[in-house]
Amino acid sequence: MLHSWRVAILATWAAVSVAQAQSPDVATAGQWTPVQKWPYSAVHTHVLPTGKVMFFSEFGDGDNPMLWDPQTNVLTALPKAGYNIFCAGHAFMADGRLLVAGGHISDDSGLPYATIFDPFKLTWTRIPNMNAGRWYPTVTTLPNGDMLVTGGAKEDRSKNLIPQVWQASKNSWRNLSNASLELMYYPWMFTTPQGKTLMAGYWKPARYLDTEDKGAWSVGPRTSYAHSRNAGSAVMYDEGKVLLTGGDNPPTNNVEVLDLGSSKPTWRTVPPMRYVRRQHNSTVLPDGTVLVTGGHSGPGTDNPNFPRYETELWDPATEKWTELARSSAYRGYHSTTVLLPDGRVLSAGSKGVKTMQVFSPPYLFRGTRPTITSAPTNIAYGENFRVTTSDAASITQATWIRLGSVTHAFDENQRFMRLRFTASNGGLTITAPANANLAPPGHYMLFLLNGQKVPSVAKIIRVGGDASVPTPNEPPPDTGFTAVAFGSEWKYDDRNVDPGPAWTQPTFNDAAWKKGPGQLGYGESDERTVLNKTTPVQSTVYFRRKFTLHAMVEKAMLQVVHDDGVTVFLNGTQVFSKFISNPTHAAYADGASADNTLSQTALPAARFLMGENTLAVMVKQANATSSDLSFDLELKVITDEMQMDALFFESPNGGETLRPGSVQTLQWMTHGSGVANVRVQFSADNGATWTTVEPSIPNIGFFEWTVPRTETTQGVLRISDASRPDVEDRTDTPFTITAIPRFRAITFGEYWKFDDRNLDPGSQWTSLGFDDTAWRSGPGKLGYGGGDEHTVLNKTTPSQPTVYFRKKLTLGEAIRSANLRVLHDDGVAIWVNGRLVFSRYTDNGLAHGAFASTVLKTPITSTGAIDASAFVPGDNIIAVMVKQANGESSDVSFDLELNLEAR
């Protein structure tokens, strides 16, 4: 039975109705509704063929799917999938059902399960398991209606290298065994008009995947951005055209496009977003523009300290960005956006954020909307189909957009197309795409737009696909997750040397051992790792592997391939033995076993540890003339998911040098949903004794810590659940706190306020009191034209002569000496508290309109001592101008490092 929450519709909800007259501001900037609470965070969000929205949440709340009706604002609880579907991949099948692949065991550990959600019956159907677990995979609808699954992490936290195809007509999986490749999490996959499958990032180069037969990868065009686009966003914004935005750590505002229809597809850098971002979302709108929302501009995985509330719109016709109305809720890691059939955009979620907002783009405030009176529900490729509308004479565009299915800043289902049409007799005759390469089979939202680019409410139309739906096979029973899989990598010692009695212990030093994937052995030609064979044959070969558990084990099953005898130790204790009565190094096995004998046994749950565990295995030959040896192992466990909360310290994490009295931002990640408050502790003696910094603060993932005036080289920090101290993590290695006179006050890569508008800021811009609140900010390197900038600045035509930068620096003492290193192209001038302390290539003057006196072919780093008396205890301002050599200059660069010595 379904349960419903009748959510009171906010009075302001009606205020965004497109039927009402609106002010000129919303016609250019759009409008957000107020923030509304939801019972769960929308981490995986899908627009169903019914026009409603299904979403599900994160961590322990993963299997709580909800249904939202955009028209009535009513939330309904859906039936559960039967396992934790958080961190799965998903896309719509040709018949409108949603394939959900993978799921959550713990961080970097995925379930092998797959299930199909029927949006018409609101039911879940398990299908056969995949080849192994997948955590953070991507699902892609192929032109033939099959479903491609790529990437993700297996149960044992190793990457799943083998892509798979769900064959809808056969109810079975097909392995692309020749396409083995380690991928990033949630790879940005698209089917192309040429029938290929493109992985657009976030690594470089892009790659094509041939999904026929056993599969094959080939190299595609390399992105021109110099760094990783991790946590950026990608979208196919037109036929065969891909847009990449932001990402990296610290974030960038760099933007690139790729046209797969060109004779030689090449990534091309286009004007940047106004703001650096990561963990943002990109949404294609009915008029072909791309909306970018949310994210953050600070360092780290998720950083609410640097929220990006600004909304930006990219126009592919001009390749320019426009800033729209600001949202009022932080949407970072685990946030989602989808285009609704009425042309609005739902924005929801973020880590632990159980709210939503809806954005009405400017096109909804530009006049009366066209209407679609009728349209077919199903069409064939190449078909000319009829859509009736009383607005036929005013229609200038017919577009359709595949239904959204988004998570982790990437929509795995979204794509946009413009459709050809003719108007006549109160309607339009529209031509469907010629084939499934252009539009993979499934459901699309059809929009009609008039000359003001005002869209109609969409009609959802299905194209292509077989109408018959086979009955899936029953999935195998739940046998837990694989902590160690067959084929995993093992450390091994095949030197015929006795390792001593401690070799089974977790603390044993196996750094000198070799390593390789299973099956390991020799003599049978089926080994992935061939071991050394001595003469006479060595009696014993040794193997070790570590694995991590984030929960207590309830049950465990071991399977081991061996030839001949085998003994298995877990955390130093023997848990299984066969054909070995004498475990000494020189002793042989008690007897011979058949080739690749498979033995299995249940293991005692009490032998497992929360956290790191160690398996140690000896395999013995039956005699000195034995011709072969084999070993591989699989360990499956069932854990108590109620114990799966964990904390992971991100920064600082050891090796840093901190200054007493400075403010350090502590950052951590939380696994699970049960850690409401955390305790922060500091130790000056590497954990021997602890001082509590804060006994209980809200678990928001960061904390501003004032570094104590305790000098030490053994400083560590610990974060723990305020109510369960066993749920904790600490810095990996010690850091240093020292008040030595010399210290680095500014490092390369830090954040700067900047003004790139080609405007003279006036004579006071170098002073501490100057108001720079209208300036933007971003991390270094800052500039344009080099392709390696974290923050891409605006480039005017002709090139602006001067770009300005400012940074506040707070000092606790007087300064004796100061030295800087400044990266610049072309000229540079630097002020401290209004006093000019350094300049180079500025012989033409420091006025806004003056150009640099030298042309640099590439950026250079200038160094030098500067006047230390310009610095004062307390707040200081560093102000920098960088000048171009002329109006045709193609690039500008800036970054700075400042080293000070206190008195």
Side-chain angles (χ1 to χ4, degrees), residues 585-602:
H585 174 76
Y588 286 97
D590 298 339
S593 64
D595 291 349
N596 293 329
T597 294
L598 179 66
S599 297
Q600 62 180 26
T601 184

Side-chain angles (χ1 to χ4, degrees), residues 56 94 114-115 138 159 330 375 409 411 418 468 525 594 697 706 895-896:
F56 49 93
T115 189
T138 294
K159 293 293 183 65
Y330 173 65
D411 194 320
R418 303 179 191 277
S468 63
S525 301
I697 57 173
T706 300
D895 207 348
L896 184 145

Side-chain angles (χ1 to χ4, degrees), residues 45-56:
T45 305
H46 324 272
V47 178
L48 305 178
T50 60
K52 298 181 180 181
V53 175
M54 187 263 275
F55 66 92
F56 49 93

Side-chain angles (χ1 to χ4, degrees), residues 728-888:
E728 60 96 20
D729 192 27
R730 64 187 69 183
T731 45
D732 287 346
T733 58
F735 51 79
T736 297
I737 300 176
T738 179
I740 59 173
R742 294 182 180 85
F743 63 97
R744 182 157 296 164
I746 300 174
T747 64
F748 285 130
E750 289 196 22
Y751 283 69
W752 291 77
K753 300 292 289 289
F754 64 87
D755 189 347
D756 58 356
R757 297 172 294 176
N758 199 17
L759 298 175
D760 188 338
S763 60
Q764 297 300 307
W765 77 275
T766 65
S767 67
L768 181 63
F770 177 76
D771 183 6
D772 59 12
T773 54
W775 291 24
R776 292 183 286 152
S777 66
K781 174 181 174 183
L782 305 98
Y784 58 76
D788 58 350
E789 303 87 0
H790 272 106
T791 303
V792 183
L793 304 181
N794 177 55
K795 182 180 187 297
T796 63
T797 304
S799 298
Q800 64 266 50
T802 313
V803 182
Y804 303 89
F805 306 89
R806 284 169 53 91
K807 185 176 182 65
K808 184 182 288 187
L809 175 65
T810 302
L811 298 172
E813 58 261 291
I815 300 302
R816 180 194 306 272
S817 65
N819 288 269
L820 62 77
R821 301 173 66 213
V822 57
L823 175 75
H824 61 97
D825 184 355
D826 295 297
V828 64
I830 302 171
W831 288 259
V832 175
N833 297 323
R835 185 190 303 180
L836 181 65
V837 295
F838 184 87
S839 65
R840 193 166 187 187
Y841 306 139
T842 58
D843 298 345
N844 294 333
L846 299 175
H848 172 76
F851 286 100
S853 55
T854 298
V855 177
L856 297 177
K857 293 183 178 180
T858 59
I860 65 171
T861 300
S862 295
T863 62
I866 60 176
D867 185 357
S869 67
F871 295 94
V872 298
D875 289 340
N876 296 258
I877 195 74
I878 314 299
V880 182
M881 66 165 51
V882 175
K883 286 187 168 292
Q884 289 280 37
N886 51 62
E888 291 73 45

Side-chain angles (χ1 to χ4, degrees), residues 20-314:
Q20 290 186 332
Q22 302 291 335
S23 68
D25 289 340
V26 294
T28 58
Q31 186 179 70
W32 288 91
T33 65
V35 175
Q36 179 177 320
K37 290 184 178 179
W38 271 0
Y40 300 105
S41 177
V43 178
H44 301 259
T45 305
H46 324 272
V47 178
L48 305 178
T50 60
K52 298 181 180 181
V53 175
M54 187 263 275
F55 66 92
F56 49 93
S57 190
E58 57 190 345
F59 302 116
D61 290 333
D63 193 14
N64 287 284
M66 302 291 295
L67 187 70
W68 176 62
D69 188 331
Q71 300 306 307
T72 64
N73 197 28
V74 170
L75 280 171
T76 305
L78 291 168
K80 296 179 183 294
Y83 61 92
N84 195 337
I85 47 179
F86 169 53
C87 287
H90 32 70
F92 284 102
M93 303 172 69
D95 58 20
R97 296 179 300 158
L98 183 74
L99 176 67
V100 179
H104 183 71
I105 298 171
S106 63
D107 285 357
D108 301 295
S109 177
L111 291 164
Y113 307 153
T115 189
I116 294 174
F117 177 72
D118 189 321
F120 310 106
K121 299 178 182 178
L122 303 182
T123 57
W124 296 90
T125 303
R126 280 280 297 276
I127 60 176
N129 287 357
M130 297 176 290
N131 59 3
R134 294 191 187 269
W135 188 85
Y136 278 49
T138 294
V139 180
T140 309
T141 309
L142 298 177
N144 67 353
D146 288 346
M147 307 296 288
L148 170 68
V149 183
T150 50
K154 297 190 293 187
E155 299 94 325
D156 64 355
R157 300 163 70 96
S158 65
K159 293 293 183 65
N160 193 327
L161 309 183
I162 307 297
Q164 290 181 278
V165 172
W166 173 249
Q167 302 171 109
S169 61
K170 297 180 180 180
N171 283 311
S172 64
W173 292 101
R174 176 167 59 88
N175 289 338
L176 304 185
S177 54
N178 287 352
S180 177
L181 183 68
E182 181 171 331
L183 303 178
M184 72 294 290
Y185 285 141
Y186 284 126
W188 299 337
M189 303 293 297
F190 300 95
T191 55
T192 74
Q194 295 77 27
K196 299 179 180 180
T197 303
L198 170 75
M199 184 182 73
Y202 48 87
W203 288 344
K204 50 198 304 181
R207 293 179 183 270
Y208 297 109
L209 175 60
D210 182 350
T211 58
E212 294 298 318
D213 194 27
K214 294 184 179 181
W217 288 99
S218 58
V219 176
R222 295 181 66 88
T223 176
S224 58
Y225 181 61
H227 310 290
S228 166
R229 286 195 179 273
N230 180 19
S233 192
V235 62
M236 185 169 279
Y237 66 91
D238 206 341
E239 187 176 312
K241 296 181 179 179
V242 178
L243 174 76
L244 303 183
T245 54
D248 204 355
N249 184 17
T252 183
N253 59 345
N254 180 280
V255 178
E256 292 178 277
V257 295
L258 177 68
D259 184 357
L260 295 165
S262 65
S263 58
K264 188 177 180 180
T266 304
W267 289 105
R268 178 171 58 88
T269 301
V270 298
M273 297 182 290
R274 286 183 56 78
Y275 302 95
V276 300
R277 299 178 191 256
R278 72 192 312 261
Q279 304 289 4
H280 56 285
N281 281 273
S282 301
T283 310
V284 187
L285 301 183
D287 60 359
T289 57
V290 179
L291 189 76
V292 171
T293 55
H296 70 87
S297 59
T301 299
D302 192 34
N303 198 330
N305 271 347
F306 294 82
R308 287 271 64 95
Y309 298 120
E310 301 86 357
T311 304
E312 297 190 64
L313 186 72
W314 185 69

Side-chain angles (χ1 to χ4, degrees), residues 23 529 718:
S23 68
T529 301
R718 179 166 67 185

Side-chain angles (χ1 to χ4, degrees), residues 627-801:
S627 62
D628 55 0
L629 181 143
S630 299
F631 168 68
D632 206 350
L633 182 148
E634 178 187 81
L635 174 64
K636 288 192 173 183
V637 300
I638 295 176
T639 58
D640 179 4
E641 293 194 2
M642 298 303 292
Q643 300 290 328
M644 291 176 64
D645 293 324
L647 293 163
F648 302 96
F649 225 118
E650 286 192 316
S651 177
N653 212 21
E656 300 88 353
T657 298
L658 309 180
R659 191 162 180 79
S662 64
V663 176
Q664 176 77 27
T665 299
L666 312 186
Q667 295 188 70
W668 63 89
M669 289 289 293
T670 307
H671 164 72
S673 58
V675 183
N677 295 283
V678 296
R679 179 177 62 176
V680 181
Q681 294 176 293
F682 165 69
S683 172
D685 51 16
N686 198 16
T689 59
W690 293 94
T691 300
T692 297
V693 178
E694 288 288 344
S696 182
I697 57 173
N699 182 21
I700 59 175
F702 63 92
F703 173 70
E704 299 293 337
W705 177 52
T706 300
V707 179
R709 298 189 180 278
T710 302
E711 295 198 37
T712 178
T713 60
Q714 297 296 306
V716 291
L717 286 156
R718 179 166 67 185
I719 190 84
S720 61
D721 188 324
S723 61
R724 292 175 295 168
D726 58 304
V727 179
E728 60 96 20
D729 192 27
R730 64 187 69 183
T731 45
D732 287 346
T733 58
F735 51 79
T736 297
I737 300 176
T738 179
I740 59 173
R742 294 182 180 85
F743 63 97
R744 182 157 296 164
I746 300 174
T747 64
F748 285 130
E750 289 196 22
Y751 283 69
W752 291 77
K753 300 292 289 289
F754 64 87
D755 189 347
D756 58 356
R757 297 172 294 176
N758 199 17
L759 298 175
D760 188 338
S763 60
Q764 297 300 307
W765 77 275
T766 65
S767 67
L768 181 63
F770 177 76
D771 183 6
D772 59 12
T773 54
W775 291 24
R776 292 183 286 152
S777 66
K781 174 181 174 183
L782 305 98
Y784 58 76
D788 58 350
E789 303 87 0
H790 272 106
T791 303
V792 183
L793 304 181
N794 177 55
K795 182 180 187 297
T796 63
T797 304
S799 298
Q800 64 266 50

